[in-house]
Amino acid sequence: MTILSFTNNNPLIDGRQSEKAMLVRRGVQILLNEMRHSVLPELALSSGRRADLISLSVKGEIWIIEIKSSIEDFRVDRKWPDYRLHCDRLFFATHAGVPLEIFPEECGLFLSDGYGAHMVREAPEHKLAPATRKSLMLDFSRTAARRLMMAEWSTGTSYSD
């Protein structure tokens, strides 16, 4: 009998996120779904960075949500300004255990409890260049399709409807 498995049966989880970050992610995903956004976690960007969450609104806006699960998580991460080059709006998301005043005013802010989220602050809009938008939309589409196929293969369930 196998005690430890080196394979992950869920292709949508890569194991790098803390339990608190996953709760924040889930709450924000629930809210964005209610807002009729299409959401992908952990999308690799052309800069080599990886967006915690990227969403596509019904109006075609691309949002990136950077999840921060602690003060230290925010303090040591200085790569977040790079995400502006890949979205129309940039947000942070956190939970009630992190003081909201540490997050920059020039970014939007979500507060999540794992069962939902609240938009504390709207993010200012900074429109993407058309070529960047096209490239991101293709990456988003291909990644979503590939993940759907992997989910079907891993569960034996068809998600075509």
Side-chain angles (χ1 to χ4, degrees):
M1 179 169 130
T2 303
I3 296 172
L4 177 66
S5 173
F6 291 102
T7 62
N8 176 4
N9 292 333
N10 186 339
L12 304 179
I13 297 175
D14 68 9
R16 292 179 299 148
Q17 300 81 11
S18 71
E19 190 173 321
K20 284 200 186 261
M22 291 302 290
L23 284 174
V24 171
R25 180 172 113 175
R26 186 174 124 204
V28 173
Q29 285 175 301
I30 290 168
L31 175 64
L32 291 172
N33 185 59
E34 291 170 356
M35 295 171 68
R36 299 178 49 214
H37 282 235
S38 296
V39 184
L40 280 177
E42 301 296 329
L43 181 69
L45 303 170
S46 61
S47 64
R49 302 280 187 219
R50 183 184 293 255
D52 291 337
L53 286 174
I54 189 163
S55 79
L56 179 60
S57 77
V58 293
K59 294 185 340 186
E61 283 188 339
I62 297 172
W63 293 7
I64 289 181
I65 300 92
E66 177 69 3
I67 296 170
K68 294 297 168 205
S69 58
S70 68
I71 295 171
E72 185 68 9
D73 185 15
F74 177 75
R75 190 183 67 74
V76 299
D77 179 9
R78 292 293 157 219
K79 68 184 183 305
W80 65 264
D82 298 344
Y83 292 123
R84 283 199 193 283
L85 303 173
H86 304 281
C87 63
D88 295 306
R89 296 179 191 269
L90 178 60
F91 292 84
F92 282 98
T94 195
H95 57 88
V98 179
L100 302 182
E101 58 272 6
I102 69 170
F103 296 102
E105 292 285 329
E106 66 267 18
C107 297
L109 183 59
F110 289 105
L111 183 62
S112 171
D113 65 4
Y115 299 99
H118 172 71
M119 186 186 294
V120 175
R121 182 172 57 236
E122 179 76 49
E125 182 181 53
H126 45 275
K127 285 282 190 194
L128 285 171
T132 304
R133 178 177 308 284
K134 179 180 178 181
S135 175
L136 260 168
M137 294 291 260
L138 289 171
D139 288 345
F140 188 100
S141 302
R142 284 193 302 264
T143 301
R146 188 173 50 254
R147 289 182 186 175
L148 178 60
M149 181 182 67
M150 297 300 288
E152 285 182 349
W153 287 357
S154 72
T155 64
T157 303
S158 174
Y159 296 104
S160 59
D161 294 329

